Amino acid sequence: YEELRRKFYTTPKSYLDLIGLYLSLLGEKRDELGTARDRLLNGLKKLDETNSVVDSMKHELGELQPILEEKSKATAILLEQVAKDQAEAETIAEKVGKEEAEVKVQAAETKVIADDAKADLDEAMPALEAAVNSLSSLSKGDITEVKSFPKPPPLVQMTMEAVCVLLGEKPDWDTAKKVLSDSNFMNRLLTFGKDNISEKTIKQLKKYIDDPLYTPDQVARQSNAAKSLCMWSRAMEVYSRVAKLVEPKRQALAAAEATLKAANETLAGKQAQLKAVQDKVAMLQKQLANAQAEQKSLQDQAEVTEKRLERAGKLTSGLADEQVRWKDTADDLGHQTDLLVRSEEHTSEL
């Protein structure tokens, strides 16, 4: 007015627009200061949380160290035990392998002895079985036919003399007739103790066996019934001869089988011992694998914690000075926000 000599008037609308503009600017300023302050406060909060996590990790790492040491010692002891038991198992396995080889050799030798004895017996058994089968076919009529001869044919008499020699009777026709008349005659032949024929009996029987005419076929020409008795007497001689050869082999076989049985029992004991040691080694190896896995897990956990501590340490160390500045700046922004609030309150009062 002093300069232009004119008066200016503010209308109510202009005054209200002025207040609205002021309030808009005040709101923007409050948002700006609040956002900046919240950012700083959040940063301070994160730093505090990081420091808390660092302390927690330090505590965790401190607790892990003695556990790791204990696990390392236990694993070392277990590893030593596994190596020791494994070496023992290998030693026993080597011994068992040698004994298995020896037992196989003994079993092969025993089989050779058994096969040899069986081969000898196979020579006598067909003749013996044929004789027994032939005797089974004899009837009372056949026996009556033989003893009815007042003067038997030579080969029939030779046959009965051979039978009497084996039965321990006097080798003549009168005695032969008495033997044939015995109701127990057939049973005496069938149950004859072929394993106990004496040398004297065999020696007496030999003169008949060595006679080229004394064969079942030749005897059958004179008496078919006497043929079976001839077969029986010859079978007894063959069996006795073979039995003398087989008996030492039987004794050797029995001794070999006893030795083999003892060796198998010893081997079975060693194999059981080996299995027990191998099972123990397997169990220890499983325990060792579990212990090593647990130890590695703890080591990995400790390494991860150490790396996190290292990174967190660098972060907190680098932001240590910033933390003070951020706090001062946040406080200053808070103070500025308080001043804005007062200005707003003052404006409201106006």
Side-chain angles (χ1 to χ4, degrees):
Y1 177 77
E2 289 293 331
E3 291 179 7
L4 301 177
R5 306 306 292 174
R6 289 177 63 182
K7 289 185 179 181
F8 291 86
Y9 296 94
T10 300
T11 64
K13 183 179 183 305
S14 298
Y15 181 70
L16 290 175
D17 288 341
L18 176 63
I19 293 174
L21 179 59
Y22 174 79
L23 291 177
S24 177
L25 290 174
L26 179 62
E28 289 178 7
K29 194 64 176 177
R30 289 187 65 188
D31 289 342
E32 180 185 341
L33 294 175
T35 300
R37 185 171 182 270
D38 288 343
R39 188 181 299 114
L40 291 170
L41 291 176
N42 284 336
L44 290 170
K45 183 180 178 183
K46 291 295 182 183
L47 284 175
D48 289 338
E49 289 177 354
T50 301
N51 289 328
S52 176
V53 170
V54 167
D55 292 338
S56 175
M57 286 192 293
K58 286 180 180 178
H59 179 70
E60 180 182 344
L61 188 60
E63 290 182 342
L64 276 176
Q65 290 303 328
I67 296 176
L68 268 174
E69 291 177 4
E70 182 181 348
K71 289 292 181 183
S72 297
K73 290 179 181 177
T75 302
I77 293 172
L78 194 57
L79 185 61
E80 184 180 348
Q81 184 64 38
V82 168
K84 179 181 176 182
D85 288 349
Q86 197 161 10
E88 180 183 354
E90 290 173 357
T91 302
I92 296 175
E94 184 179 354
K95 292 180 179 178
V96 169
K98 290 180 180 178
E99 291 193 15
E100 284 178 346
E102 291 175 359
V103 168
K104 285 182 180 179
V105 171
Q106 289 179 355
E109 292 174 351
T110 301
K111 186 176 184 304
V112 169
I113 296 173
D115 291 344
D116 189 20
K118 183 176 181 299
D120 289 337
L121 282 174
D122 286 345
E123 178 188 348
M125 294 311 293
L128 182 63
E129 290 171 1
V132 170
N133 292 334
S134 180
L135 286 177
S136 299
S137 65
L138 278 177
S139 64
K140 289 184 178 179
D142 294 331
I143 296 173
T144 301
E145 175 191 334
V146 174
K147 71 179 180 181
S148 65
F149 288 116
K151 184 177 180 182
L155 292 180
V156 173
Q157 183 165 346
M158 188 182 296
T159 299
M160 289 311 303
E161 287 179 4
V163 170
C164 288
V165 166
L166 284 168
L167 294 178
E169 303 288 349
K170 186 177 179 181
D172 58 36
W173 182 244
D174 291 336
T175 304
K177 290 176 70 174
K178 292 179 183 178
V179 169
L180 289 169
S181 299
D182 186 359
S183 60
N184 201 35
F185 172 64
M186 287 300 300
N187 188 53
R188 289 181 70 183
L189 298 182
L190 293 172
T191 60
F192 181 72
K194 58 185 179 297
D195 292 317
N196 300 310
I197 302 176
S198 67
E199 287 291 335
K200 180 180 178 182
T201 300
I202 292 298
K203 188 175 181 180
Q204 291 176 337
L205 183 64
K206 214 36 177 154
K207 70 177 183 178
Y208 302 104
I209 300 298
D210 292 342
D211 192 322
L213 296 176
Y214 188 62
T215 64
D217 292 338
Q218 293 289 339
V219 172
R221 291 178 183 178
Q222 297 182 0
S223 171
N224 195 51
K227 174 185 175 181
S228 298
L229 297 175
C230 174
M231 290 175 61
W232 178 80
S233 64
R234 294 187 69 88
M236 292 302 105
E237 188 275 334
V238 172
Y239 184 86
S240 176
R241 174 166 44 82
V242 172
K244 289 176 182 177
L245 295 174
V246 171
E247 186 57 30
K249 296 179 182 180
R250 279 179 174 172
Q251 293 177 1
L253 176 62
E257 287 176 340
T259 303
L260 180 61
K261 181 181 178 182
N264 278 323
E265 290 175 352
T266 303
L267 178 61
K270 294 288 181 62
Q271 288 173 334
Q273 181 184 356
L274 175 61
K275 187 178 184 306
V277 174
Q278 288 175 334
D279 290 345
K280 182 182 177 183
V281 170
M283 181 188 68
L284 288 174
Q285 286 176 335
K286 185 177 180 181
Q287 291 178 356
L288 178 61
N290 292 336
Q292 288 174 333
E294 186 179 357
Q295 183 183 3
K296 187 177 184 305
S297 176
L298 290 173
Q299 286 175 340
D300 292 344
Q301 185 179 346
E303 288 176 3
V304 169
T305 302
E306 286 177 352
K307 290 178 180 179
R308 286 179 179 174
L309 275 174
E310 182 181 354
R311 290 194 296 267
K314 290 179 180 179
L315 178 63
T316 54
S317 176
L319 295 177
D321 294 336
E322 290 294 320
Q323 186 174 10
V324 176
R325 189 177 66 79
W326 289 356
K327 188 175 185 308
D328 292 341
T329 304
D331 291 342
D332 183 57
L333 290 173
H335 179 63
Q336 291 182 34
T337 303
D338 291 341
L339 292 176
L340 288 176
V341 171
R342 291 195 188 100
S343 298
E344 185 181 20
E345 290 174 351
H346 183 63
T347 305
S348 299
E349 290 174 359
L350 291 174

